[in-house]
Structures are given as C-alpha cells and as structure tokens.
Amino acid sequence: MKVLVVYWHPESQSFNGAMFRTACEMFAEAGHEVKTSDLHEMHFNPVSGRGNFTTVKDPNYFKQQLEELYSTEIGGFSAEIASEMEKIEWCDLMIWQFPLWWFGLPAVLKGWVDRVFAMGRIYGGGQIYAGGVFRGKRALLSLTTGGPEEAYRKGAFNGDIAGILRPIHRGMLQFVGFDILAPQIVYGPVRMTDEQRKQQLTTYAERLQRIAHESPIDVGIY
Ligand SMILES: Cc1cc2nc3c(=O)[nH]c(=O)nc-3n(C[C@H](O)[C@H](O)[C@H](O)COP(=O)(O)OP(=O)(O)OC[C@H]3O[C@@H](n4cnc5c(N)ncnc54)[C@H](O)[C@@H]3O)c2cc1C
C-alpha cells in the first residue's frame, strides 16, 4: 500500500507528533511505502494566491479557479503545489494528522487544501464525489481534541463529532473522490496519564496494521 501522511502541529514533541511518527513507523515496518507532508517542518505557506502558479492567464484580475484550470492545461502549478498534488495522485491511503482547532482544520492544513485541491487537476468537469478524480483511494482523519468524548456526542454541548467533521469528510475528501474511513480520534490527550497516552498510540498502530481491510463509512448527507 502507498500511504501519504499529511501532518500539521507547531510542536514536533506534541501528542500529534507522536501519532504522526507512530503511523509512519508502523507502515514502514510493515513494508508499505510512505510519503509525508510535515507542513510545519516544510514551512508550508497556507495563503492561496498567485504564488500557486508559475504562470498567469489573466494578469489583471485574479480568479483562482480559472488560473487552476489554465495551469492544469499547461502544467503551470508552482513546484511546492505540484509536488503535493503528485503525492496525492501517488497514494492509495491518505491520512491527515492534526489537532482540532475551532471545530475544524488548523489554518495551515486548511490552506494546504485551498491551494492543492485545484479545479481541473483535482476536481471539476463533472469529476466530483463518486465520479471524483481520486475514486478508489481512501482517506483517514486522525485528530486530537481538547474536549472530552462525552462533550462530542449528539445533544452534548459541543454536538456530534460526526457533524463537526462532515465539512471535511464530505466537502473536501469525498468531493474529490476519496472513500472515508472512520476517524481516529484521541479525545483530550492532555488530561490522560502517560500510560493512557501510550495505550492510545498502541491502539492506533494496531488499527493501522489492519486498515487495508477496513470498509468506508457513510458520512451522511443532509
Ligand atoms: C487555536 C486552538 C483552537 C482549539 N480549538 C479546539 C476545539 O475546537 N475543540 C477542542 O476540543 N479543542 C480545541 N483546542 C484544543 C486542541 O485540540 C488540543 O489542545 C489538542 O488537540 C491536543 O493535542 P496536542 O498534540 O496539541 O497535545 P499535547 O499538549 O502536545 O500533548 C499532550 C501530552 O502528550 C504528551 N506526549 C507527547 N508525546 C507522547 C508520547 N509519545 N507518549 C505519551 N505522551 C506523549 C505531551 O508531552 C503532553 O504532555 C484548540 C486549541 C487551540 C490552540
């Protein structure tokens, strides 16, 4: 299996960092091919704009999706964007490792999506959802929260975690064709004992060993 792990956390010694390394080491030891995008380490610029491209269709008015279509035609994506696109095209399984920030992706990871999921090459022309460019590939969100699990149930004060993740599952990953695996969520690692955190890492590694055999989940559509 070819696995891409996209990861962002501002501190490599964080629990997210430990989850990232757990996944990379487990897949490598099991003989899978692994590529990574450690966005903090890469100093990935999350701000979308003309820097996404090496060329210009319209120098007078910046319309991102039109520039994306043009760059798809002529191979005009900047090197940092093109290499991220190639990694996604290469992988069978893509994992995003991140802390939940403001009920969503932290800004650098969101900016990675804004810049890399480009119209033309990654979606569009009728290629969306079940007919998406990345159909046949699978995606896994692996995240941590500050809040406890009981705060993320239906009717609890944060609401259902499935609803919080739906814009990512449906609006980003399924939109471009990925099948979605059940998210790996570690609730409140800060409040755990060291032993409990180590157990979470072991549980995650054990799950990843069997992940090739997992079936996608239904993320629900309103
Ligand atoms: C801007 C912002 C917005 C936020 N929004 C939300 C929100 O909407 N909802 C919400 O629930 N939370 C929110 N949070 C909280 C955030 O989600 C959590 O702080 C984060 O998920 C915790 O993960 P971490 O990797 O940062 O933990 P860390 O604090 O880095 O790690 C927790 C502990 O694990 C230890 N550790 C590291 N490696 C290992 C290892 N190998 N073995 C054992 N222990 C280890 C660390 O030393 C530390 O003691 C927000 C935080 C910020 C800053």
Side-chain angles (χ1 to χ4, degrees), residues 8-151:
W8 182 84
H9 194 288
E11 170 56 62
S12 66
Q13 299 174 83
S14 63
F15 192 69
N16 272 267
M19 293 190 79
F20 169 64
R21 287 186 291 278
T22 295
C24 296
E25 286 162 16
M26 195 293 299
F27 284 121
E29 280 165 19
H32 299 293
E33 293 176 72
V34 184
K35 291 188 180 182
T36 60
S37 291
D38 179 344
L39 301 178
H40 182 70
E41 180 72 19
M42 291 158 66
H43 301 289
F44 185 82
N45 173 12
V47 181
S48 203
R50 287 212 184 270
N52 299 359
F53 312 102
T54 58
T55 184
V56 174
K57 168 91 170 172
D58 184 345
N60 299 315
Y61 189 104
F62 179 64
K63 177 84 177 160
Q64 179 162 327
Q65 288 171 314
L66 288 184
E67 295 294 344
E68 288 172 348
L69 289 171
Y70 182 59
S71 275
T72 298
E73 271 173 44
I74 62 152
F77 292 103
S78 66
E80 64 175 338
I81 300 302
S83 82
E84 296 306 298
M85 291 168 161
E86 283 160 17
K87 285 188 233 178
I88 305 173
E89 289 160 353
W90 166 87
C91 77
D92 306 307
L93 169 67
M94 178 167 71
I95 298 176
W96 290 358
Q97 179 66 54
F98 61 96
L100 188 71
W101 275 18
W102 298 117
F103 279 20
L105 297 177
V108 180
L109 185 49
K110 172 59 166 51
W112 181 87
V113 178
D114 291 344
R115 299 187 70 200
V116 175
F117 281 24
M119 182 181 253
R121 179 139 165 197
I122 307 294
Y123 71 91
Q127 296 196 93
I128 55 170
Y129 293 121
V133 169
F134 297 133
R135 59 190 175 277
K137 298 181 188 287
R138 299 179 314 150
L140 169 69
L141 298 183
S142 175
L143 61 138
T144 61
T145 70
E149 185 169 7
E150 54 272 22

Side-chain angles (χ1 to χ4, degrees), residues 138 140 180-184 204 206-217:
R138 299 179 314 150
L140 169 69
I180 309 299
L181 300 177
Q184 183 76 21
Y204 183 39
E206 287 170 356
R207 177 188 177 190
L208 293 179
Q209 277 164 9
R210 301 184 301 271
I211 207 151
H213 309 292
E214 278 190 25
S215 301
I217 59 165

